[in-house]
Amino acid sequence: MTTQQRPFNFGPGPATLPAEVLQQAADELPNWHGSGMSVMEMSHRGPEFIAIYEHAVSGLRTLLDVPPDFHILFLQGGGIGENAIAPLNLSQGGVLDFILTGSWSRKSYEEAGRYASAARIAANGKASGHTGIPPAASWNISPDAAYVHLCSNETIQGVQFQELPDLAALGADVPLVVDCSSDIASRRFDWRRIGMAFAGAQKNLGPAGLTLVFVREALLGRALPICPSAFNYELVARNQSMYNTPPTWGIYLVGLMVDWMLRQREGDLSGLAALEVRNQRQAAKLYAALDASDFYINRVDPAVRSWMNVPFTLADAQRDEAFLDGAARRGLLQLRGHNSVGGMRASLYNAMTDEGVDALIAYLQDFERRQA
Ligand SMILES: *Cc1c(COP(=O)(O)O)cnc(C)c1O
């Protein structure tokens, strides 16, 4: 199948990957670099895989501009696993504050209450139906909090922090923990504002089964005694993510993805800066098309609309199935919204092309015209 023939995949995760990355993985699958082994068959302690690991870590550090006092860890357990693993490592049994902006931050809050002495809600966007984010100045942060948790991009509601809050400027001397599962590597982050960030790889970076954790050296050594060793950030960091067998195939694919991301260009920009411009352009185009019509609805405050996940509903939900069938026939896949909110969702991760977004917009307009 050539690049041109592939359908456009708008799935929320596991999600679309660049055809050239998949092709490279296919070419290298049975015999990686003449080693006589597939990456899946190699010892994680052998020289071949150590090279693959080091390539992925250093590539991520370069691409995302991760400061030297952060460790980059490769774990398993996904974003949902981190909802427990983060408090096991960082709560010290104390109080945690949560900024509730949608389904994912709520899930994190509910899970953390099992490991911290208290999980508190410092701000809640529920009153607006999570169409907005309460301004940081209104957050009620506990002075004794072990950390503040937020989700930088709510994959289901489609609300995104356009920039991360500066907790120190708010008078809170508290680490910030960020679930960036669905916007990691889609734009630049101000690492100075982050204590720890985590992300499942399967939205923007590779296959499911690999979780990335970016954690400051200063936050290591705080794990509760009951924290499983395989999830103890300090132990994993001191063992270069090889305390136990890491998800080797995922790490290899992240390395290929990072190479691809570093190759991307938009005008004079390259790497993450180029992807940021491209992602913002694609999202703006799609929101403009939705806003131009009464047939489609997205109620999220334009100031906090996600660049990665664009949920929308049809004014007449009776037409949902016809919309999805017609989309699939045109090679526009996985547009069904999350079952908790219904409607549609177009995810525009890094591997989504301008052609894919243009094809979706043309379909939106055609479908509306044919229903009139
Ligand atoms: C997908 C997602 C998760 C869940 O990840 P799993 O790998 O399924 O555990 C958590 N948080 C956010 C923001 C997500 O988008």
Side-chain angles (χ1 to χ4, degrees):
M1 218 185 231
T2 68
T3 312
Q4 281 69 29
Q5 288 164 335
R6 291 194 94 217
F8 298 111
N9 180 350
F10 295 92
T16 185
L17 291 168
E20 56 191 276
V21 168
L22 296 175
Q23 191 59 54
Q24 187 180 351
D27 293 344
E28 295 180 348
L29 180 69
N31 182 3
W32 182 82
H33 292 204
S35 66
M37 296 179 278
S38 166
V39 173
M40 279 182 267
E41 302 169 302
M42 289 173 185
S43 166
H44 57 296
R45 306 202 186 276
E48 296 90 352
F49 187 75
I50 300 283
I52 289 169
Y53 160 82
E54 282 172 356
H55 177 73
V57 173
S58 68
L60 282 167
R61 206 175 275 286
T62 303
L63 177 81
L64 305 177
D65 203 16
V66 181
D69 64 319
F70 277 81
H71 294 274
I72 302 177
L73 311 182
F74 296 135
L75 297 169
Q76 307 194 40
I80 292 181
E82 283 305 314
N83 287 342
I85 296 166
L88 281 165
N89 275 279
L90 304 175
S91 72
Q92 301 180 284
V95 168
L96 304 179
D97 274 334
F98 288 79
I99 313 303
L100 299 197
T101 52
S103 305
W104 286 115
S105 48
R106 168 159 287 278
K107 256 199 160 72
S108 300
Y109 159 73
E110 288 168 353
E111 182 81 348
R114 302 172 58 197
Y115 304 98
S117 68
R120 295 184 186 149
I121 299 175
N124 195 345
K126 196 175 176 206
S128 75
H130 293 305
T131 56
I133 294 179
S138 71
W139 298 354
N140 189 8
I141 297 171
S142 319
D144 57 339
Y147 63 80
V148 173
H149 172 111
L150 62 78
C151 176
S152 51
N153 183 61
E154 288 279 2
T155 319
I156 294 173
Q157 282 77 13
V159 304
Q160 184 174 33
F161 282 87
Q162 304 298 302
E163 66 175 38
L164 295 174
D166 182 353
L167 294 184
L170 294 170
D173 184 18
V174 172
L176 181 66
V177 166
V178 180
D179 175 1
C180 55
S181 292
S182 53
D183 66 351
I184 178 86
S186 69
R187 56 175 180 152
R188 286 167 293 182
F189 280 139
D190 186 347
W191 291 100
R192 290 169 304 181
R193 298 183 175 183
I194 296 175
M196 189 279 273
F198 66 86
Q202 72 270 26
K203 313 290 166 70
N204 240 344
L205 281 177
L210 168 65
T211 318
L212 293 96
V213 166
F214 304 83
V215 60
R216 273 183 200 276
E217 167 73 22
L219 294 179
L220 298 182
R222 301 184 176 192
L224 298 176
I226 58 160
C227 179
S229 305
F231 296 141
N232 180 311
Y233 294 158
E234 185 177 35
L235 209 48
V236 174
R238 301 286 175 248
N239 287 279
Q240 282 73 44
S241 295
M242 313 258 180
Y243 177 74
N244 67 333
T245 312
T248 52
W249 178 253
I251 293 169
Y252 160 69
L253 265 189
V254 164
L256 299 189
M257 268 303 283
V258 168
D259 291 342
W260 178 85
M261 292 190 273
L262 287 167
R263 288 199 298 275
Q264 299 308 298
R265 297 279 180 276
E266 288 287 337
D268 295 339
L269 301 173
S270 64
L272 195 58
L275 289 167
E276 184 173 292
V277 165
R278 185 183 302 167
N279 288 329
Q280 199 165 23
R281 175 179 70 226
Q282 291 179 356
K285 217 195 261 196
L286 180 53
Y287 285 117
L290 295 170
D291 289 346
S293 154
D294 297 332
F295 195 85
Y296 303 106
I297 301 159
N298 170 294
R299 295 196 198 283
V300 176
D301 176 354
V304 296
R305 279 174 165 176
S306 169
W307 307 3
M308 288 284 101
N309 310 96
V310 181
F312 61 94
T313 52
L314 273 55
D316 176 5
Q318 306 272 6
R319 302 182 203 248
D320 283 3
E321 295 308 318
F323 178 90
L324 288 164
D325 288 348
R329 277 200 301 277
R330 284 171 71 148
L332 306 171
L333 306 184
Q334 305 207 85
L335 282 162
R336 189 185 295 277
H338 193 270
N339 55 21
S340 63
V341 293
M344 310 299 155
R345 170 172 50 175
S347 296
L348 310 178
Y349 297 121
N350 284 338
M352 180 50 62
T353 57
D354 288 323
E355 294 73 37
V357 177
D358 290 342
L360 174 59
I361 292 171
Y363 175 63
L364 290 171
Q365 293 167 348
D366 275 10
F367 185 80
E368 177 177 358
R369 213 172 298 124
R370 278 186 286 115
Q371 307 292 308

